[in-house]
Amino acid sequence: MKIINVAGARPNFVKIAPLMSAFKAAGNIETLLVHTGQHYDKKMSGLFFDQLEISRPDVNLGVGSAGHAVQTAEIMKAFEPVLEGYRPDAVLVVGDVNSTIACGLVAVKLGIKLVHVEAGLRSFDRRMPEEINRVLTDAISDLLFCTEQSGVDNLRNEGVGGEKIFLVGNVMIDTLLENKAKADESTILAGLGLEDGKYTVLTLHRPSNVDDPGAFGRILDALEVIQRESPIVFPVHPRTSKNLREGGLAARVDQMVGLRMIDPLGYLDFLKLMSSAAAVLTDSGGIQEETTILKVPCLTLRDGTERPITVEVGTNTVVGTDTEKIISTWRAALAGRDRKVQTPPLWDGKAAQRITEIICDKI
Ligand code: UD1
């Protein structure tokens, strides 16, 4: 069986790593790894291939950054000849980025089976580009692999046949469990002069936060207070960095002496940074899941989450962008008033293995 695996943006690399290993271990699957080039900086891409020991992409479409239409269209144009040349039995896409829908659409139009890993998640907010990518990719996929029961329920509610849907667990957690011991050896805390459990980690990159001066301003108001009480480490995403500079906000954050802005980190250093943090403030999807397994309090700076299991059984609290709510929830998290947390069903490091078995059976 021949499968093309697609990856394009930073969180995709973390998800594809255990799948590549499981396909190799199966012995009867030949793979081609296609990198769309949506993310291209060493710190957003190459570092992840090195640290997660993912083989070099067989093909790099080299598409790079652009508006949604151009980026999606360029990926489609570049991916079609690769598919025609390789003629796989299936194309596997992960997550919800523009590379996911672009390559999925090309595959189904050529009559090739489409497999979506991390299917069914819904924020029910169609202003999010990722929500559009999720809904459309799921609508055209032949096999849909879900991380949590809400994903299965959402797909069933949208009329997807039960025979296509499989609750398998979470490949991002496969990677976390596989790399936790290695990450524990990271010297990032000493490098940044931080004490275990005595700092907060911040990540921010959603357009609804960093492209909107109102939301960004409310978050900065909260950070201003928090950084006076405890240090914040902030690995800055390129989109956020650009907006800070161009929006004239750089001077404001520079004045916050407790807010430490650093370049994006590699996987192992970031995992160590998260696991030793007192709390994490984020608008990322994957980090809500990772902090659930690490049992570190997570405050999600969005109005909702497409990953409700992280709130139901995990450490996640959805706080939105209200300044006072962010500050009070952060203080409560540090005071240790959090309830007991559980591991979501099947987040046990074996999701990629389950996916491989089902693909071998069904395709
Ligand atoms: C993309 C995904 C988002 C995901 C995020 C993870 C879509 C619609 N969005 O958002 O779901 O959570 O990746 O990081 O697919 N840039 C660089 N270097 C890079 C890549 C990007 O400098 O290697 C800069 C460029 O200025 C670019 C901007 O970041 O315009 C945004 O990149 P883009 O890939 O369009 O979206 P992300 O915000 O990264």
Side-chain angles (χ1 to χ4, degrees), residues 209-232:
N209 284 334
V210 302
D211 294 1
D212 173 356
F216 209 166
R218 290 192 297 279
I219 293 170
L220 289 179
D221 289 343
L223 298 178
E224 187 131 43
V225 174
I226 292 172
Q227 56 92 32
R228 277 193 233 116
E229 297 178 24
S230 168
I232 303 174

Side-chain angles (χ1 to χ4, degrees), residues 237-310:
H237 186 282
R239 173 189 284 277
T240 311
S241 168
K242 192 164 148 226
N243 288 358
L244 277 171
R245 279 194 315 274
E246 291 174 4
L249 294 165
R252 178 155 186 222
V253 290
D254 284 346
Q255 281 169 359
M256 300 188 202
V257 288
L259 177 69
R260 182 87 173 266
M261 296 211 286
I262 57 175
D263 280 346
L265 290 173
Y267 183 78
L268 298 172
D269 284 341
F270 190 68
L271 181 51
K272 172 70 181 176
L273 196 65
M274 266 193 304
S275 51
S276 300
V280 175
L281 307 179
T282 191
D283 58 9
S284 151
I287 291 173
Q288 297 170 45
E289 299 177 337
E290 290 167 335
T291 46
T292 284
I293 294 300
L294 297 170
K295 304 198 187 318
V296 172
C298 175
L299 277 67
T300 295
L301 306 175
R302 287 173 40 194
D303 293 332
T305 179
E306 59 287 317
R307 293 159 162 93
I309 192 93
T310 60

